[in-house]
Amino acid sequence: CRRLRFYCTSISKQKQATRQSHITLEFCFEVETMPVDLLNPTPAVEARTHKLKRLVQGPNSFFMDIKCPGCFQITTVFSHAQTVVLCGNCNIMLCQPTGGRAKLTEGCSYRKKVD
């Protein structure tokens, strides 16, 4: 704790004299650490936050290669596709749109595109 002294000057109207009185105040400062490190968030926390409120802004969408379960042909599809995507060879439905990300058909495998 630190003690600070303040000097108060008051002028009395009757005596027109200046008086100084000492006031001693005590201030106690305790430094506490935050429970969350805001500059180094974990990848799990970073993935849950909104795309504009991340430490570095970035989109949630990506392109992916989907492998057809019937003929094993690879098709490039946007992760948030808004139309039904069919295989070019065997006409099997690879994914169907939902409100956000496209839902893959059961048996299809995918990987994110690097480029």
Side-chain angles (χ1 to χ4, degrees):
C1 294
R2 293 184 178 181
R3 290 185 182 178
L4 302 175
R5 292 189 178 192
F6 294 97
Y7 295 98
C8 296
T9 306
S10 62
I11 301 173
S12 64
K13 293 182 181 178
Q14 298 170 351
K15 296 182 181 178
Q16 296 295 326
T18 304
R19 289 185 309 177
Q20 286 188 349
S21 59
H22 298 286
I23 299 174
T24 304
L25 300 174
E26 286 190 23
F27 293 102
C28 291
F29 298 104
E30 293 181 13
V31 178
E32 294 183 19
T33 59
M34 294 186 68
V36 178
D37 187 9
L38 297 176
L39 290 177
N40 302 310
T42 61
V45 171
E46 194 75 6
R48 279 192 315 235
T49 57
H50 190 267
K51 64 181 181 179
L52 296 178
K53 294 184 178 180
R54 293 184 187 138
L55 202 56
V56 177
Q57 296 179 1
N60 293 331
S61 58
F62 54 91
F63 286 94
M64 56 186 172
D65 289 331
I66 299 179
K67 188 186 288 185
C68 177
C71 64
F72 301 110
Q73 181 183 0
I74 295 176
T75 307
T76 302
V77 179
F78 187 59
S79 63
H80 292 66
Q82 296 180 350
T83 59
V84 174
V85 178
L86 302 174
C87 178
N89 286 345
C90 56
N91 260 1
I92 292 178
M93 182 173 60
L94 299 176
C95 66
Q96 57 187 359
T98 60
R101 287 196 176 162
K103 182 180 177 184
L104 293 179
T105 306
E106 192 171 329
C108 290
S109 59
Y110 78 98
R111 68 175 179 198
K112 288 186 179 181
K113 292 258 295 183
V114 179
D115 293 333

